[in-house]
Amino acid sequence: MSTQSRFQGQVAVVTGAAGGIGGATAQRFAEDGADVVLVDLDGTALEEIAARVERAGTNPHVITADVSNPSSVEDYVSQALDRFGRVDAFFNNAGVLGPWRNLFEYSEEDFDHVMSVNVKGVWLGMKSVAEAMMKSGGGAIVNTASVAGLSGTPTVFAYGASKHAVVGMTKSAALSLGSHNIRVNAVCPAIIDTPMGEAVLRGGNPDDIDAAKDRVSEMYPLGRIGQPEEVAALVTYLCSSDASFITGGIYPVDGGSRAR
Ligand code: NAD
């Protein structure tokens, strides 16, 4: 069935929009009829995604912002409201991997940075966007966690901690916001073919990226790593009216790797 008009008249805000998963999801929202607001720290890369969204048929609003900064978060939400009047869907997705370090190797500075983007940024985004959604009668929020939010990842210690926090915040927010007709879910990708996915592969085997990709792919029942469009398909489904009874859910998009 065509999904081309399922977000017609709706507004979607995407953070981390200049990255692989955020860019593919912004494009999918636009293809499915939404007005789109693109938020990222990297203003240059955002321009390229903005061009892709325009080719999909809509003129996006582009905002360079740091999601871990409270006043920047308030600003991107108020810019979205000034431009489009409402927010119906929010993909709360910006994140950093942080260094490839274990429990003992992590510096306090690196730990704080990962937590400030991946945890504080997700919290601040949900808070400001939910306030706007409450005024307009509801909406849907999808947070990006990770399979690293479902089991331990000793090699990227703070990242794993931060994504477990995203899972917890998603459940708590779903409980708080259900009565306001705001659904909150999280997606948990395994390795996806983006700059961050490549950084994960390089962390595991810096000398031979193809060998690392092959080895990881063998661990996934579907025999390959994922594509950003495959995450975008789940995110947009969860934001659509087809998912109207789904909230507080934590959804792997992982090629079956967690079935092992
Ligand atoms: P990516 O590196 O391509 O994109 C991440 C984007 O977030 C970048 O454009 C970056 O500029 C932006 N960003 C970082 N810090 C920011 C900040 N403080 N304020 C605003 N923007 C900021 O990576 P991706 O793979 O597209 O990752 C998207 C999300 O998916 C992240 O939350 C990541 O943790 C998660 N994830 C990725 C994978 C994977 O293998 N690619 C797996 C599981 C989860």
Side-chain angles (χ1 to χ4, degrees):
M1 194 182 69
S2 166
T3 56
Q4 265 175 348
S5 59
R6 64 179 167 170
F7 295 114
Q8 209 68 51
Q10 296 191 25
V11 179
V13 175
V14 177
T15 72
I21 292 171
T25 306
Q27 182 177 338
R28 181 65 192 266
F29 270 122
E31 286 166 356
D32 290 359
D35 283 317
V36 182
V37 178
L38 307 173
V39 180
D40 203 287
L41 201 53
D42 185 343
T44 310
L46 266 182
E47 291 308 322
E48 196 239 314
I49 302 296
R52 271 169 59 189
V53 167
E54 265 185 58
R55 285 195 291 277
T58 179
N59 184 9
H61 189 72
V62 178
I63 305 168
T64 304
D66 179 349
V67 299
S68 66
N69 179 314
S71 58
S72 300
V73 174
E74 281 175 23
D75 181 58
Y76 79 65
V77 177
S78 73
Q79 281 197 47
L81 295 174
D82 287 349
R83 169 79 189 264
F84 294 120
R86 55 188 293 125
V87 178
D88 300 284
F90 178 43
F91 186 32
N92 200 4
N93 164 72
V96 291
L97 179 63
W100 195 267
R101 301 258 190 280
N102 69 25
L103 163 68
F104 299 106
E105 296 160 344
Y106 238 97
S107 72
E108 187 178 347
E109 191 187 7
D110 286 337
F111 189 92
D112 286 346
H113 178 60
V114 171
M115 290 297 165
S116 79
V117 179
N118 294 6
V119 181
K120 192 166 103 179
V122 167
W123 166 56
L124 293 171
M126 280 200 290
K127 196 156 68 95
S128 286
V129 171
E131 275 168 9
M133 287 175 167
M134 282 159 81
K135 290 182 189 145
S136 59
I141 297 172
V142 174
N143 298 320
T144 305
S146 167
V147 290
L150 302 173
S151 25
T153 46
T155 47
V156 278
F157 186 76
Y159 183 79
S162 72
K163 294 302 186 178
H164 276 75
V166 173
V167 168
M169 290 192 293
T170 299
K171 292 177 180 174
S172 297
L175 294 175
S176 297
L177 296 173
S179 61
H180 297 281
N181 193 32
I182 299 171
R183 297 182 297 101
V184 189
N185 293 288
V187 293
C188 296
I191 297 180
I192 306 296
D193 194 4
T194 72
M196 188 185 292
E198 184 170 334
V200 173
L201 292 168
R202 286 200 185 283
N205 189 347
D207 300 328
D208 190 344
I209 187 86
D210 289 330
K213 216 180 243 187
D214 287 347
R215 207 180 48 254
V216 169
S217 298
E218 275 166 25
M219 287 157 44
Y220 294 5
L222 291 181
R224 60 178 176 83
I225 64 170
Q227 292 302 314
E229 292 74 19
E230 295 175 307
V231 182
L234 175 60
V235 173
T236 50
Y237 164 73
L238 288 169
C239 290
S240 77
S241 59
D242 281 344
S244 52
F245 198 52
I246 299 178
T247 195
I250 310 298
Y251 295 96
V253 46
D254 68 345
S257 58
R258 287 192 49 81
R260 292 197 186 279

